[in-house]
Amino acid sequence: MNKSHNLLGKPLQYLKGVGDVKAALFQRLGIFTIEDVITHYPRDYEDRSRLKKIIQLEDAQKVSFEGVIASKPVESRPRRGFVITRVSIVDETGLINAIWFNQPYLKNYFKKGEKYIFYGTITRKRTFEVLNPVYEKISESGPVNTCRIVPIYPSTGRLTQNAIRAVIRSALEYAGDELIEFLPEWICKEYNLVDSQFAIHNIHYPDSDNAFQRARERLVFEELLLLQLGLISLKSLPETDQPGIKFGAGKQVREFIQRLPFELTKAQTRVVAQIEQDMESGRVMNRLIQGDVGSGKTIVAVIALVKAVKSGYQGAFMAPTEILADQHYHSVKPMLERFGIRTALLTGSTSVKDAKGLLKDVSEGNVDVLIGTHALLEEKVVFMKLGLVITDEQHRFGVRQRAIISQKGENPDILVMTATPIPRTLALILYGDLDISIIDELPPGRKKVETYAVDEHMRERINKFIRKHVTQGRQVYIVCPLVEESDAVEAKSATELADELANKTFSDLRVGLIHGKMKSSEKESTMLDFVRGEMDILVSTTVIEVGVNVPNAALMVVENAERFGLAQLHQLRGRVGRGEHQSYCILFSDSKSQVARERMKVMEQTTDGFVISEKDLELRGPGDFFGTRQHGIPDMKIANLYKDMDVLKQAQEAALKLIENDRGLKLPQNQMLCQAIKEKFSKMANVISLN
Ligand code: ADP
Ligand code: MG
């Protein structure tokens, strides 16, 4: 839609019946202009279209019926502040009693002998009864609130549905004709979309079921297309048509894989094939590997590194923390070394002296693979021939950082790995610029982490369970949601809990504490103690969420588990079950809320990260779910990222075609579209690269 157009951009007060007071109520919903209100889409509909005779009414049915007020309304006040108004309604077939609570003005509103349409749920007692029905006097322009499919709008308490409907009705009458198509013609044709005017009218007042479906489809497409285009521009893609490196070394890769101590899983094999194909093509690879914790992403990365190095290039492998970089270095180096590949580690704790020699080696090509942290991004790190960049745990690295390291080579291929299971819909959006590979299979022989949701009654038994694990030589994580005690939220503080455990419950065991407010050097040294087995129980906040591998840890206890999202619980649980020991996850929760219980049940029933993330999305519902706000994605007005997967794919395809033909959307036929994107993303600071 186009704000330059006169009426659409006008404030709501231009409409009849909207004064400053009402306008202020709309503003709370983020609605300022006539266009805003027209694009305030219904969240639901009620079918009030079938008008019944009173004799046809059935118990528990929600229906519209027409009738004449048979007698003066009767009011009673059974107790203070409680008013009941009763009205008898008749038609030629029968009688029904309507009852309203606390609407005393109705006593003088309904006049004997007048005709109304009502809508509500029928109860059949001795006579028919209907509680708090919607009512509407029959006027010349026809009914708005009854007798049809009626929209239900998102609202705040003080704006009634009738008020919103009236304003939208009048906005549509006043300015509806000004809605002009802003999608390029070819898109509407190719994706078989109804035009903007049709869509808007029918989303509010559908002429038929089919019209509604078509309208919704169009608006969902439009919303997702704008989102996709906006994100692409946010990411300021590198030119996709830049020539990439054509890697070879297929033979050496086969050989490397054959010499591995295990066989690759089917999923790993498939992903390796996708990577090899990318690397051999002349295009720059931009690929995301999504794989659950323990699915074996590292080895896939190593294979890509082998391919790069054996083709005569260097590789960089970046991890978000020193502990992780260190772990990668120690597990990867021996594998590569056996194959004649020289590997080095660079982190913030590499001494200046060591770094100097190391950087020289890297710049002269005496190091083939450099593993490290953010330190790799520093200017002084210069490669001789960087061909492949791998980043682990993508969500910790921004797009910009990916770009910085890429610039250290000439269009190197890029591989991004993440263990955060993201629903496919969301991945398509967040990583719209990346091809996605999924490792959806764990190596054979893994024992499932047994998970139990328990309440406070089980505290003593769980404490015994903890002790039993430590006695057997295992280690235990206990995770709390907050760092400090707060009255507002009755969460357990990690600090207090650690004190209590260390001084009372487990005073004979080695209890450590780690939380987000500690200095990073403290965190690292505590973590290292745990990694080395010098600590039995580690009490922590969610700082352990990412990456750490302690195979001897076999028990994870989560306090106030209801305070964590599903995706987060899954990440936490992934810290155990990494060794040969049967592992357990105990979720403490006293919450009685439906959603909380549902979450606990999901955790007990499945360990599949993708199932869990889809479930997470479903339980949270559209508009409010994992990750979007952080990534600066605007709220969805109509699209449901859980259900509208098919449309999302189409919108993504259309977005790519558009960008291919007109980077920056500068062509005249794309101007209105460009404008619409800017408006949608206007609240976000840095929409770049579009004009
Ligand atoms: P993540 O995907 O969490 O990074 P890792 O790459 O650390 O997982 O792999 C977890 C463990 O599984 C490692 O010890 C690795 O050697 C092992 N592993 C990986 N692939 C296989 C396989 N195909 N068969 C057996 N073990 C494997
Ligand atoms: Mg990993």
Side-chain angles (χ1 to χ4, degrees):
M1 272 126 283
N2 199 323
K3 286 240 166 92
S4 68
H5 252 257
N6 283 334
L7 294 175
L8 290 172
K10 292 270 195 287
L12 225 48
Q13 284 93 322
Y14 262 70
L15 298 173
K16 233 188 287 165
V18 183
D20 289 349
V21 176
K22 200 177 264 178
L25 291 176
F26 274 96
Q27 281 169 17
R28 286 212 211 144
L29 291 169
I31 295 170
F32 296 85
T33 64
I34 292 179
E35 182 184 340
D36 291 342
V37 87
I38 284 177
T39 55
H40 188 60
Y41 304 131
R43 64 170 164 78
D44 204 357
Y45 300 84
E46 267 177 17
D47 185 357
R48 302 179 182 173
S49 58
R50 277 159 301 158
L51 206 55
K52 295 249 166 140
K53 295 290 177 202
I54 290 175
I55 199 169
Q56 295 173 307
L57 300 180
E58 284 168 33
D59 196 40
Q61 207 179 31
K62 224 173 173 182
V63 288
S64 299
F65 60 91
E66 192 180 50
V68 173
I69 307 295
S71 59
K72 209 164 152 285
V74 179
E75 189 182 273
S76 57
R77 294 175 182 263
R79 58 174 195 271
R80 245 178 94 98
F82 191 55
V83 186
I84 300 176
T85 311
R86 288 170 196 274
V87 174
S88 301
I89 301 154
V90 291
D91 68 4
E92 65 277 16
T93 69
L95 178 143
I96 181 167
N97 291 313
I99 298 166
W100 286 271
F101 298 130
N102 287 334
Q103 300 185 43
Y105 50 88
L106 291 179
K107 187 177 152 203
N108 299 316
Y109 176 81
F110 290 116
K111 302 276 181 315
K112 188 176 168 188
E114 279 182 342
K115 205 173 191 181
Y116 289 86
I117 293 174
F118 300 88
Y119 174 79
T121 306
I122 307 299
T123 25
R124 176 154 203 183
K125 298 193 173 162
R126 259 181 311 120
T127 52
F128 287 115
E129 230 173 65
V130 57
L131 283 189
N132 291 316
V134 175
Y135 49 90
E136 184 170 19
K137 188 148 192 207
I138 299 168
S139 70
E140 279 164 27
S141 66
V144 173
N145 293 314
T146 54
C147 267
R148 47 160 46 257
I149 294 175
V150 174
I152 314 283
Y153 292 100
S155 175
T156 60
R158 293 188 51 203
L159 263 181
T160 65
Q161 288 295 330
N162 285 1
I164 300 178
R165 267 177 225 133
V167 170
I168 289 180
R169 250 292 160 97
S170 107
L172 285 172
E173 273 165 29
Y174 188 61
D177 291 344
E178 291 199 0
L179 290 164
I180 39 172
E181 188 51 72
F182 68 95
L183 291 179
E185 208 182 320
W186 71 266
I187 289 193
C188 291
K189 257 204 196 121
E190 188 160 335
Y191 295 96
N192 191 19
L193 303 172
V194 297
D195 67 48
S196 181
Q197 257 191 41
F198 180 94
I200 295 276
H201 279 103
N202 278 281
I203 203 69
H204 292 293
Y205 290 99
D207 287 334
S208 67
D209 224 26
N210 185 47
F212 164 73
Q213 293 301 343
R214 303 288 318 265
R216 183 175 185 282
E217 235 169 69
R218 142 84 203 212
L219 294 172
V220 168
F221 184 98
E222 161 188 323
E223 184 164 52
L224 294 173
L225 179 72
L226 294 185
L227 177 67
Q228 201 68 53
L229 286 170
L231 284 169
I232 289 175
S233 77
L234 271 181
K235 288 173 177 162
S236 64
L237 289 183
E239 296 285 338
T240 44
D241 41 11
Q242 284 204 39
I245 303 161
K246 288 188 180 176
F247 295 92
K251 209 169 128 250
Q252 285 98 319
V253 168
R254 297 286 87 65
E255 204 184 315
F256 181 82
I257 292 174
Q258 249 157 36
R259 280 211 239 154
L260 286 175
F262 47 73
E263 247 182 76
L264 293 184
T265 62
K266 276 203 215 85
Q268 284 170 322
T269 307
R270 187 183 64 233
V271 172
V272 165
Q274 288 164 346
I275 290 170
E276 283 209 79
Q277 198 177 20
D278 282 2
M279 289 180 75
E280 286 165 18
S281 82
R283 241 170 28 99
V284 172
M285 170 167 75
N286 266 302
R287 187 168 283 280
L288 173 77
I289 304 181
Q290 256 195 292
D292 227 333
V293 181
S295 62
K297 294 182 292 296
T298 315
I299 195 65
V300 171
V302 168
I303 293 169
L305 287 168
V306 168
K307 191 170 181 74
V309 173
K310 292 298 175 189
S311 305
Y313 290 85
Q314 290 169 297
F317 192 172
M318 252 197 330
T321 64
E322 283 199 18
I323 298 174
L324 274 177
D326 212 63
Q327 267 182 13
H328 278 323
Y329 178 68
H330 286 106
S331 69
V332 165
K333 184 183 153 109
M335 290 194 260
L336 290 175
E337 212 111 278
R338 252 179 277 135
F339 224 61
I341 294 173
R342 298 158 297 180
T343 309
L345 175 70
L346 178 69
T347 70
S349 2
T350 311
S351 74
V352 178
K353 195 170 125 256
D354 290 350
K356 214 167 159 202
L358 193 153
L359 289 176
K360 187 161 174 285
D361 284 343
V362 173
S363 67
E364 290 173 356
N366 296 323
V367 162
D368 302 310
V369 171
L370 183 60
I371 297 176
T373 54
H374 289 80
L376 264 56
L377 297 171
E378 285 172 32
E379 213 171 311
K380 59 180 192 240
V381 182
V382 176
F383 289 85
M384 191 175 89
K385 213 179 170 194
L386 181 63
L388 175 67
V389 173
I390 301 177
T391 63
D392 197 6
E393 304 296 353
Q394 148 73 12
H395 55 293
R396 294 288 177 102
F397 289 108
V399 178
R400 221 174 58 80
Q401 286 161 321
R402 244 199 283 155
I404 290 175
I405 186 126
S406 297
Q407 275 150 25
K408 293 179 184 286
E410 273 177 38
N411 301 333
D413 278 3
I414 293 183
L415 200 56
V416 173
M417 303 197 296
T418 175
T420 312
I422 311 171
R424 284 195 307 149
T425 41
L426 192 52
L428 271 173
I429 290 175
L430 294 183
Y431 304 113
D433 57 333
L434 298 176
D435 296 314
I436 300 177
S437 292
I438 296 179
I439 307 185
D440 50 3
E441 183 186 356
L442 295 182
R446 284 287 157 78
K447 296 194 187 85
K448 279 209 166 146
V449 177
E450 281 184 34
T451 303
Y452 302 97
V454 300
D455 61 18
E456 212 42 49
H457 292 109
M458 297 285 283
R459 181 64 66 183
E460 291 223 344
R461 282 180 66 183
I462 300 301
N463 281 343
K464 278 190 194 143
F465 196 57
I466 293 173
R467 183 173 290 282
K468 186 176 132 207
H469 272 79
V470 175
T471 311
Q472 290 170 349
R474 301 288 82 72
Q475 287 163 285
V476 179
Y477 291 107
I478 300 180
V479 179
C480 310
L482 277 182
V483 182
E484 274 152 15
E485 189 80 353
S486 137
D487 293 333
V489 278
E490 301 166 9
K492 288 218 175 185
S493 123
T495 315
E496 267 197 9
L497 182 65
D499 278 351
E500 190 189 313
L501 296 181
N503 297 320
K504 288 191 204 141
T505 325
F506 300 120
S507 56
D508 53 329
L509 305 179
R510 298 166 298 176
V511 178
L513 169 68
I514 186 168
H515 61 68
K517 296 206 170 143
M518 284 161 62
K519 282 204 218 94
S520 64
S521 57
E522 280 177 288
K523 273 191 262 181
E524 300 242 328
S525 83
T526 306
M527 207 59 230
L528 273 180
D529 283 350
F530 192 68
V531 170
R532 295 197 190 109
E534 285 159 14
M535 191 185 291
D536 303 309
I537 299 173
L538 179 61
V539 178
S540 82
T541 55
T542 52
V543 289
I544 54 156
E545 216 183 308
V546 166
V548 181
N549 190 23
V550 183
N552 191 46
L555 174 58
M556 156 82 47
V557 178
V558 182
E559 301 286 341
N560 298 97
E562 74 280 356
R563 295 197 185 281
F564 296 90
L566 272 177
Q568 220 177 358
L569 286 175
H570 177 68
Q571 285 285 305
L572 287 170
R573 182 167 61 184
R575 299 301 115 220
V576 296
R578 306 188 131 228
E580 76 242 51
H581 316 287
Q582 174 60 51
S583 298
Y584 300 88
C585 176
I586 306 294
L587 304 171
F588 268 107
S589 173
D590 283 325
S591 171
K592 301 276 179 290
S593 106
Q594 187 65 37
V595 172
R597 283 200 215 170
E598 184 93 358
R599 283 205 189 123
M600 298 308 131
K601 211 167 80 196
V602 172
M603 290 302 294
E604 285 181 325
Q605 284 170 351
T606 181
T607 51
D608 183 327
F610 290 97
V611 172
I612 288 172
S613 70
E614 294 281 346
K615 200 74 198 169
D616 195 29
L617 188 50
E618 191 185 325
L619 286 177
R620 286 167 190 243
D624 156 41
F625 64 96
F626 169 65
T628 50
R629 296 259 162 73
Q630 272 139 275
H631 285 89
I633 294 183
D635 279 342
M636 300 289 108
K637 274 187 177 175
I638 188 163
N640 178 325
L641 294 174
Y642 181 69
K643 292 181 181 133
D644 292 321
M645 181 74 178
D646 292 343
V647 184
L648 178 63
K649 278 188 188 148
Q650 292 187 340
Q652 194 183 33
E653 182 192 290
L656 289 176
K657 282 187 192 166
L658 268 166
I659 293 287
E660 239 165 60
N661 295 323
D662 181 17
R663 275 196 96 70
L665 300 182
K666 294 192 170 73
L667 293 177
Q669 64 267 35
N670 292 332
Q671 276 326 290
M672 287 206 285
L673 179 60
C674 187
Q675 185 62 28
I677 297 166
K678 282 184 179 161
E679 275 168 28
K680 184 154 186 100
F681 282 76
S682 62
K683 289 182 205 106
M684 300 165 56
N686 55 344
V687 181
I688 31 181
S689 93
L690 278 179
N691 294 344

